[in-house]
Amino acid sequence: MYHNSPLKTFQKRVKARYDLYNSLFITLPFDAIDNTGALLPLFAESCSHGLENELSPKEIVSQFFQQYFPDKPESAQIDLLFRFIQYIERQIVLFDAVEDAGFAEVNNLNGPGTLAHLLENTDLKKLKKTAANFKTKIILTAHPTQFYPGSVLGIITDLTCALKKDDLFEIKSLLTQLGKTPFIRKEKPSPFNEATSLIWYLENVCYHSAAEITFDLERLQLIDHNVLGFGFWPGGDRDGNPFVTAQSTFEVGMRLRTSILKCYYQDIRKLKRKLTFSGVTDLIADIEYRLYRTVFYNADPNFISYEYLVEKLQEISNLLVEKHQGIYLENIQLLLTKVRLFKFHFATLDVRQNSKIHRGLIEKLNHQNADLNDIETDTLESVKTMIRLQELNGHDACHRYIISNCESDTDVLDVHQIIHHALRLSANEQAPIDIVPLFEVISDLSRAAAIMERLYTHAGYRTHLQARGNLQTVMLGFSDGTKDGGYLMANWSIYKAKLEITRMSEQYGIQVLFFDGRGGPPARGGGRTHQFYAGLGKKIANREIQLTIQGQTVSSTFGTLDSCKFNLENLLSAGFRNTTDYRDTQVLSAADQELLDDLARVGHAKYDSFKNHDLFVPYLEERSTLKYFSQLNIGSRPAKRKADTKLQLQDLRAIPFVGSWSQLKQNVPGFFGVGTALKHAKDSGKWQNVQELFSRSLFFKTLLENSMMSLAKSYFSLTKYMQNDAKYGAFWQLIYEEYLLSKSLLLELSDQQTLMENYPVGEASVQAREEIARPLLVIQQYAMMQVQANDQSLDAETFAKYEKLISRSLFGNTNASRNSA
């Protein structure tokens, strides 16, 4: 059921239910958390009241203990703060589950952006033409911004189901289980562990939601191809991760195969109880036996093949039509759709490596130096593994080699040569592998089209492209682009690169496919992603939408059947919309581009000056949680590329970089430079042009509205005490002033009184989460102040406890935001 007022529905079905079930925590028998539920509201009130009155976190915590526990020793105070953290972590899980349970009621599952709405409001002939070649591909990545262990994810799933049914007994049992379940991994996960965690979403959510969408479009005869697909990075993304090897790539590829066959087996088991008809039972039994032996007894991979499975399911379908009046025909056809969609690979496993590794390897190969190091040897083995997985699981199992930090055409040609060397190919032979350059930093984005032209005119590479059907995938990275050039310049540089590469590719008869490396928050290309795609205009190639999904964005966007189906439909609709007449209205004129060039240039200058400030890196090292990211057992990959060197911004990975600003509630990468750019436009008489562009360009509107989301998640009251810091006071003030300027001008431009005013449900969700997490933020800042001010008066044990408080608070703060890193 959908209500006309989504905000009222949210307040009733999410906020009110959360408040109700949260009260259950007070009565539950948790070990070592007795009385915490009663004390936490008092502490939360002290935090809110104290921050409003510009008290520092240290003053807030000290006054709380002085008022309620004046005789409590420091060790006991720290223990209570740890219990607060444990409690708040579970409150956040509860809110996640309540929000997921109310998703279908809060969101109009037949409203704008859904396929139902598109079908009702679009000419079907035009839509069929549009959908003929269009595809959307979601790539699940290995980047660890989701801190829930598998056991907690399972509880969230069960709790969501119980909340949908308002099963009070089950809810209470699950909350009790939640209170006793550890939230912290004892060891860092391996790449295979990361893969297994993400495969859960493929098996339990994507498998069903994607198939339903595809099946519906097939029945309407709008498509005759796989309009949806999935990619996978854990186990294949070896850029800066020494733990990813050719062996782990192979193991993950085979785990994906086993997982999809298990899904087919479970469906066949269910169908076997329905399809009890003459001529059909033997076919079903044969399929069941072959899948069972393959999944559970590691039978020869050839014991059942994709072609065999499709052939037998089609035989069953024909028999149901010809001899059994089509009984359960839809069930078997849905399974056929699933098999054609996921084949025997489930998701395409991408291999990624840094161009610097390739350069070193090529130098040795060219000089016939057999003394290869472990990474170089593994690079050659990874190519062989790709072919091995193709032979076992089909071509789509592993056919893309992505080059991160791609700076020139030579970087692409290096990989082409490495592939030939690894597979011992002659000059005339071509491997069934697509080479994908990844352009990230601003300078590389500006040269991207020229680099592609040199590749298109290179005889050897042109032969490779012809063998690949004249298709070229180009990946564009938001994370490092934003870190390098700031929010406006990164987004505009990627847009321009797409325009120029599209034009260049058309000139040489190449069909270019763009693959966007996007993170959770706007600072890493996230936010309202589907609106970006809907607003690209007709001059940018749009045959496919390909984007990475990671961390909390996986669970929040694709974590349940309802949310997964809704968000997949939004992406499909955006793509369909951008291949219809709507594209004509979204073309940016020469004047528009000149205006955006100007805004990006000014914003970049402001950000560049800030980034090059002497205190920029020290501020992150000394006043943020940056160094604590590397101490967490959340992912297999190191926090920076060169672990044994002094911290350099270029070596810092985007997740700890963006995450550290998020923990400070300053969100610099999502807005810094925006206010200065808008002020420049206003001062130079271009404000009306900016207003007009904002009103008619969905790309520009979404760009700025996503920045408003970053601002809405900022909370400078938390760190206002830093304005008096002898070393960093002026630096903090510099950030705060840009925040105020950006907020003021964005509100004026959008004609809003509050940030995210046009998205009341999103705003309400942000506010609710911020309220829950605020005590965590205060505890974190308090602990950091204790660590920073340490004058050797703290003993080693107490000092370690304060550092642990900082690390522990990272989990809840990040999970509360769902797209903060």
Side-chain angles (χ1 to χ4, degrees):
M1 180 172 61
Y2 177 75
H3 298 267
N4 290 328
S5 173
L7 181 57
K8 287 184 178 179
T9 306
F10 177 87
Q11 297 293 357
K12 178 181 178 182
R13 302 302 295 171
V14 178
K15 187 63 171 67
R17 292 173 87 196
Y18 166 77
D19 291 339
L20 172 64
Y21 292 119
N22 183 45
S23 64
L24 283 175
F25 272 117
I26 300 175
T27 64
L28 295 179
F30 297 153
D31 293 338
I33 312 185
D34 52 308
N35 295 323
T36 307
L39 294 172
L40 181 57
L42 298 175
F43 181 68
E45 184 180 356
S46 296
C47 292
S48 297
H49 182 75
L51 292 173
E52 288 172 4
N53 287 278
E54 300 189 4
L55 296 181
S56 72
K58 187 173 183 178
E59 291 170 326
I60 291 170
V61 174
S62 298
Q63 287 187 12
F64 171 78
F65 282 114
Q66 185 176 356
Q67 180 176 357
Y68 295 103
F69 305 100
D71 300 323
K72 223 178 195 21
E74 185 174 20
S75 60
Q77 293 178 9
I78 293 174
D79 287 343
L80 180 58
L81 294 178
F82 272 117
R83 296 209 301 272
F84 283 158
I85 290 175
Q86 289 178 293
Y87 196 93
I88 295 167
E89 285 174 335
R90 287 152 178 80
Q91 286 182 311
I92 293 164
V93 167
L94 175 60
F95 191 86
D96 283 348
V98 172
E99 195 165 45
D100 287 344
F103 186 91
E105 296 168 288
V106 174
N107 297 274
N108 187 349
L109 300 188
N110 294 308
T114 65
L115 289 178
H117 186 270
L118 186 70
L119 292 170
E120 289 178 5
N121 295 276
T122 307
D123 180 88
L124 286 182
K125 288 184 179 179
K126 285 186 177 180
L127 187 57
K128 186 173 183 178
K129 184 179 179 181
T130 295
N133 296 307
F134 181 77
K135 295 180 181 179
T136 291
K137 189 168 188 175
I138 303 299
I139 293 86
L140 305 181
T141 79
H143 302 315
T145 58
Q146 171 60 269
F147 295 155
Y148 296 138
S151 55
V152 175
L153 286 173
I155 295 173
I156 293 176
T157 300
D158 294 340
L159 187 56
T160 299
C161 293
L163 286 163
K164 282 185 175 181
K165 297 181 289 187
D166 283 321
D167 185 340
L168 186 60
F169 179 81
E170 180 67 8
I171 291 168
K172 188 172 182 178
S173 297
L174 288 165
L175 290 178
T176 303
Q177 180 187 355
L178 186 66
K180 292 176 170 288
T181 301
F183 271 47
I184 309 301
R185 294 187 178 98
K186 293 183 179 179
E187 298 178 348
K188 292 177 76 70
S190 68
F192 187 81
N193 295 146
E194 290 175 328
T196 301
S197 296
L198 276 182
I199 288 172
W200 185 93
Y201 292 100
L202 288 174
E203 291 176 334
N204 294 281
V205 184
C206 301
Y207 176 72
H208 303 286
S209 298
E212 285 181 22
I213 293 171
T214 305
F215 188 54
D216 288 342
L217 291 174
E218 287 175 340
R219 284 192 298 181
L220 292 169
Q221 297 184 331
L222 288 174
I223 60 168
D224 58 4
H225 67 289
N226 287 339
V227 73
L228 288 170
F230 293 87
F232 207 75
W233 276 20
D237 181 10
R238 59 222 334 112
D239 177 18
N241 191 341
F243 305 108
V244 176
T245 64
Q247 181 62 28
S248 63
T249 298
F250 181 75
E251 290 173 354
V252 170
M254 296 309 291
R255 177 68 169 81
L256 284 163
R257 172 191 170 94
T258 301
S259 295
I260 189 59
L261 294 185
K262 190 180 296 183
C263 289
Y264 297 154
Y265 174 74
Q266 291 169 344
D267 277 354
I268 284 291
R269 291 277 295 173
K270 294 174 185 175
L271 280 170
K272 186 179 180 182
R273 299 186 63 174
K274 296 178 181 290
L275 301 178
T276 54
F277 315 134
S278 174
V280 175
T281 53
D282 290 344
L283 289 170
I284 284 287
D286 178 65
I287 293 172
E288 179 193 24
Y289 174 71
R290 289 175 181 270
L291 287 172
Y292 180 79
R293 295 290 298 180
T294 303
V295 170
F296 298 106
Y297 286 93
N298 295 316
D300 186 309
N302 296 320
F303 193 58
I304 186 169
S305 67
Y306 165 72
E307 291 77 15
Y308 179 89
L309 183 56
V310 170
E311 178 187 338
K312 294 305 175 184
L313 289 175
Q314 191 60 59
E315 280 186 39
I316 295 172
S317 179
N318 294 339
L319 281 172
L320 292 179
V321 172
E322 295 167 6
K323 296 185 177 181
H324 302 292
Q325 293 77 48
I327 300 174
Y328 297 126
L329 177 63
E330 189 171 296
N331 300 68
I332 204 73
Q333 288 180 335
L334 177 59
L335 179 54
L336 258 170
T337 294
K338 290 176 178 177
V339 173
R340 290 179 179 134
L341 188 60
F342 299 107
K343 297 187 173 73
F344 273 29
H345 66 281
F346 216 158
T348 299
L349 181 58
D350 289 338
V351 169
R352 183 173 78 130
Q353 182 57 283
N354 195 290
S355 62
K356 293 179 181 178
I357 301 298
H358 304 140
R359 291 171 202 161
L361 174 57
I362 284 294
E363 185 175 348
K364 291 183 179 179
L365 293 178
N366 288 341
H367 290 85
Q368 297 184 339
N369 182 349
D371 187 21
L372 305 182
N373 62 34
D374 290 344
I375 293 179
E376 291 164 346
T377 300
D378 183 76
T379 299
L380 293 173
E381 287 300 314
S382 68
V383 175
K384 298 175 187 177
T385 299
M386 294 176 74
I387 300 302
R388 188 180 174 195
L389 286 172
Q390 287 188 25
E391 291 170 348
L392 291 169
N393 301 345
H395 168 269
D396 291 347
C398 190
H399 66 90
R400 305 202 306 185
Y401 196 112
I402 300 168
I403 309 163
S404 57
N405 191 38
C406 186
E407 299 175 340
S408 68
D409 54 307
T410 303
D411 289 337
V412 178
L413 297 175
D414 283 350
V415 172
H416 188 245
Q417 183 180 341
I418 288 168
I419 290 172
H420 272 68
H421 181 88
L423 301 179
R424 301 182 183 278
L425 301 176
S426 68
N428 296 323
E429 293 179 294
Q430 299 298 326
I433 294 174
D434 296 302
I435 303 173
V436 182
L438 166 53
F439 302 109
E440 300 173 270
V441 298
I442 305 303
S443 58
D444 294 339
L445 288 166
S446 67
R447 297 193 305 266
I451 291 172
M452 297 313 300
E453 182 172 27
R454 286 195 291 273
L455 289 170
Y456 294 158
T457 55
H458 185 279
Y461 194 76
R462 188 63 192 240
T463 302
H464 159 75
L465 283 178
Q466 289 170 348
R468 303 303 293 159
N470 283 324
L471 290 176
Q472 174 66 59
T473 301
V474 176
M475 187 173 179
L476 304 164
F478 282 78
S479 299
D480 283 308
T482 306
K483 187 183 73 171
D484 177 49
Y487 183 73
L488 286 177
M489 180 59 82
N491 281 276
W492 179 232
S493 294
I494 289 170
Y495 188 98
K496 286 199 300 182
K498 286 185 175 183
L499 277 174
E500 294 164 3
I501 294 172
T502 298
R503 178 183 59 80
M504 188 63 63
S505 300
E506 289 175 350
Q507 180 181 333
Y508 288 94
I510 304 297
Q511 176 68 60
V512 67
L513 308 175
F514 290 118
F515 174 17
D516 291 319
R518 292 176 174 269
R524 299 185 58 226
R528 300 176 187 89
T529 306
H530 62 281
Q531 293 187 187
F532 266 120
Y533 289 112
L536 287 178
K538 67 179 181 180
K539 292 187 177 181
I540 290 178
N542 194 48
R543 177 171 170 172
E544 291 191 17
I545 287 177
Q546 299 185 29
L547 72 156
T548 55
I549 302 291
Q550 58 204 11
Q552 308 99 311
T553 314
V554 176
S555 58
S556 63
T557 309
F558 300 97
T560 67
L561 293 173
D562 287 337
S563 64
C564 183
K565 190 167 186 289
F566 180 80
N567 286 294
L568 285 175
E569 287 189 5
N570 268 266
L571 283 173
L572 278 175
S573 295
F576 290 158
R577 191 179 178 191
N578 197 39
T579 52
T580 60
D581 296 340
Y582 177 79
R583 299 180 79 194
D584 297 336
T585 68
Q586 293 302 307
V587 173
L588 296 175
S589 67
D592 294 335
Q593 293 187 46
E594 185 179 343
L595 177 61
L596 282 164
D597 273 333
D598 194 38
L599 291 172
R601 176 184 57 79
V602 174
H604 179 237
K606 179 68 174 180
Y607 176 79
D608 210 42
S609 173
F610 175 64
K611 183 182 71 173
N612 293 322
H613 195 290
D614 290 342
L615 294 180
F616 186 88
V617 172
Y619 181 79
L620 283 175
E621 286 188 294
E622 297 176 22
R623 290 294 182 266
S624 82
T625 57
L626 181 63
K627 69 177 182 180
Y628 295 95
F629 275 88
S630 62
Q631 300 173 14
L632 304 177
N633 293 328
I634 58 173
S636 66
R637 190 160 63 172
K640 63 189 183 84
R641 289 181 170 87
K642 298 177 182 178
D644 58 344
T645 61
K646 180 182 177 182
L647 178 64
Q648 300 288 331
L649 184 60
Q650 61 267 30
D651 294 326
L652 185 61
R653 294 201 172 277
I655 287 174
F657 175 72
V658 175
S660 296
W661 289 113
S662 176
Q663 294 285 321
L664 283 168
K665 304 307 292 180
Q666 293 177 2
N667 290 329
V668 159
F671 72 81
F672 201 91
V674 173
T676 295
L678 292 176
K679 185 177 185 300
H680 164 77
K682 200 167 191 178
D683 292 344
S684 58
K686 299 177 183 177
W687 187 246
Q688 185 175 347
N689 303 83
V690 173
Q691 290 176 312
E692 291 174 355
L693 185 61
F694 183 83
S695 66
R696 58 181 164 79
S697 169
L698 188 57
F699 164 76
F700 187 56
K701 181 181 176 69
T702 304
L703 178 68
L704 295 188
E705 285 187 338
N706 279 350
S707 185
M708 292 173 77
M709 184 190 298
S710 290
L711 292 167
K713 292 186 175 183
S714 298
Y715 187 62
F716 278 82
S717 294
L718 177 71
T719 56
K720 201 161 190 177
Y721 70 92
M722 290 186 189
Q723 67 182 337
N724 299 317
D725 188 280
K727 182 176 180 180
Y728 293 110
F731 189 80
W732 182 92
Q733 191 66 36
L734 178 67
I735 301 171
Y736 185 51
E737 287 173 358
E738 184 66 16
Y739 161 81
L740 292 175
L741 181 63
S742 300
K743 178 180 178 181
S744 172
L745 290 177
L746 282 170
L747 287 174
E748 181 181 347
L749 177 62
S750 61
D751 194 26
Q752 297 180 43
Q753 300 301 310
T754 59
L755 296 167
M756 296 182 68
E757 183 180 307
N758 290 349
Y759 299 92
V761 172
E763 181 185 13
S765 178
V766 168
Q767 293 297 334
R769 290 175 175 278
E770 296 291 300
E771 183 180 336
I772 295 169
R774 189 162 296 142
L776 269 182
L777 295 164
V778 170
I779 291 171
Q780 183 183 90
Q781 285 296 312
Y782 164 69
M784 291 191 70
M785 293 178 77
Q786 294 291 82
V787 168
Q788 292 157 8
N790 182 28
D791 56 1
Q792 308 304 317
S793 61
L794 295 178
D795 59 81
E797 182 180 355
T798 304
F799 185 83
K801 284 184 177 180
Y802 279 120
E803 287 212 304
K804 188 177 179 181
L805 276 176
I806 298 169
S807 298
R808 282 300 307 275
S809 61
L810 275 169
F811 293 84
N813 289 335
T814 302
N815 289 331
S817 296
R818 276 200 163 183
N819 68 351
S820 62

